[in-house]
């Protein structure tokens, strides 16, 4: 009987000694195990990555047929831009194609090209200083996937006569009926060209970059801002974890720290969950944009 009692006392003594002598790092290890065993709320992982929007968009300039020169004798016909647009779209409709929408920036590009040809007395797709339709469109502020250009000089009875002259030329016809284009800008003016009074008309065709919906940069900015907030919250949680490790479970502050930690973890996890969803959505839009650009250039 005495022997059993003695053994019990000895076992209790060893347990108390172990508790007293246990190393601080061992206590921390035990508390870390508690943190990982569900005593404390679990942290979601912050591991987000953005897909890259294509920055190497290679825009194209389509077929540039030799500028059309009319050999007709001078006539008194007048050329109106709006009617040239109508006649151009009539040709597309007659061939089962959708109409081209008038774009103000392409119209500006056509006018810039027209004015430059009269000013510098040339009649080519490329100006004396080396600027082609692509550069002119960009200078007008038109962001595009592809552009094309038709030019005409001389005398024409009316707008229908002008457009028909383009249609009779295979290269110009290809542009007017081009399925790659969705927009148009036109300019026409009578003026002096190398000593003769002539009409010059310009058609600028294009497909805008906006045909490929670009990812929302505001959404990306929101994701980046929320990620920063989550990182700052993660630092706060790390500090709290350290405080919890160094606080006895018997200390009245211990439960308050754990409560605060768990509440912040809930807030943190909610942010991460939302970030994962919005990042996935953003990356999906990036892929759609990149695929669209690839198909159209």
């Amino acid at each position: 009987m005495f022997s059993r009692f003695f053994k019990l006392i000895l076992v209790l003594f060893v347990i108390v000694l172990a508790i007293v002598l246990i190393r601080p790092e061992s206590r921390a290890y035990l508390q870390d195990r508690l943190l990982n065993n569900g005593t404390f709320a679990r942290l979601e992982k912050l591991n987000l990555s953005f897909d890259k929007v294509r920055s190497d968009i290679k825009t194209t300039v389509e077929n540039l047929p030799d500028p059309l020169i009319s050999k007709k004798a001078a006539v008194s016909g007048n050329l109106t831009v709006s009617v040239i647009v109508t006649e151009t779209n009539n040709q597309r409709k007659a061939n089962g194609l959708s109409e081209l929408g008038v774009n103000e920036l392409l119209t500006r590009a056509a006018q810039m090209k027209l004015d430059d040809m009269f000013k510098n007395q040339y009649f080519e797709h490329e100006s004396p200083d080396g600027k082609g339709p692509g550069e002119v469109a960009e200078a007008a502020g038109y962001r595009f996937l592809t552009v094309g250009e038709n030019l005409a000089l001389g005398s024409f009875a009316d707008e229908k006569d002008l457009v028909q002259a383009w249609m009779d030329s295979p290269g110009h016809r290809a542009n007017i009926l081009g399925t790659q284009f969705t927009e148009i800008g036109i300019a026409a003016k009578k003026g002096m060209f190398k000593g003769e009074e002539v009409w010059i008309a310009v058609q600028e065709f294009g497909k805008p970059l906006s045909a490929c919906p670009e990812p929302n940069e505001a959404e990306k900015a929101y994701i980046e801002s929320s990620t920063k907030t989550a990182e700052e919250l993660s630092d706060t949680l790390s500090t709290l974890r350290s405080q919890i490790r160094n606080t006895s479970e018997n200390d009245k502050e211990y439960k308050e720290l754990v409560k605060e930690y768990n509440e912040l973890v809930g807030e943190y996890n909610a942010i991460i969950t939302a970030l994962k969803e919005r990042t996935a959505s953003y990356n999906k839009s990036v892929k759609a944009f990149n695929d669209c650009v690839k198909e159209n250039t």
Side-chain angles (χ1 to χ4, degrees), residues 137-167:
E138 289 173 353
Y142 186 69
R143 299 178 69 208
F144 62 91
L145 292 167
T146 185
V147 292
E149 183 178 80
N150 280 350
L151 303 177
L153 178 150
S155 299
F156 304 92
D158 52 25
E159 297 87 355
K160 186 173 184 178
D161 183 41
L162 166 64
V163 173
Q164 188 58 55
W166 274 324
M167 288 294 292

Side-chain angles (χ1 to χ4, degrees), residues 45-105:
K45 291 184 178 179
L46 178 61
N47 185 22
L48 308 174
S49 61
F50 287 119
D51 288 345
K52 293 183 178 179
V53 178
R54 286 190 63 167
S55 58
D56 61 336
I57 300 173
K58 296 177 181 177
T59 55
T60 60
V61 176
E62 295 291 332
N63 175 44
L64 299 178
D66 290 341
L68 174 69
I69 299 178
S70 172
K71 301 295 186 180
K72 295 179 181 179
V75 293
S76 59
N78 189 46
L79 301 180
T80 305
V81 167
S82 61
V83 181
I84 297 173
V85 171
T86 298
E87 291 297 333
T88 299
N89 279 327
N90 284 343
Q91 292 292 342
R92 287 180 67 88
K93 287 188 292 183
N95 286 273
L97 301 173
S98 59
E99 295 185 19
L100 298 172
V102 176
N103 181 281
E104 291 182 6
L105 297 178

Side-chain angles (χ1 to χ4, degrees), residues 4 35 79 91 96 103 112 127 140 143 169 195 255 260 271:
R4 287 182 183 176
L35 286 168
L79 301 180
Q91 292 292 342
N103 181 281
M112 288 168 60
S127 66
R143 299 178 69 208
S169 164
K255 288 185 178 181
E260 181 182 359
I271 293 174

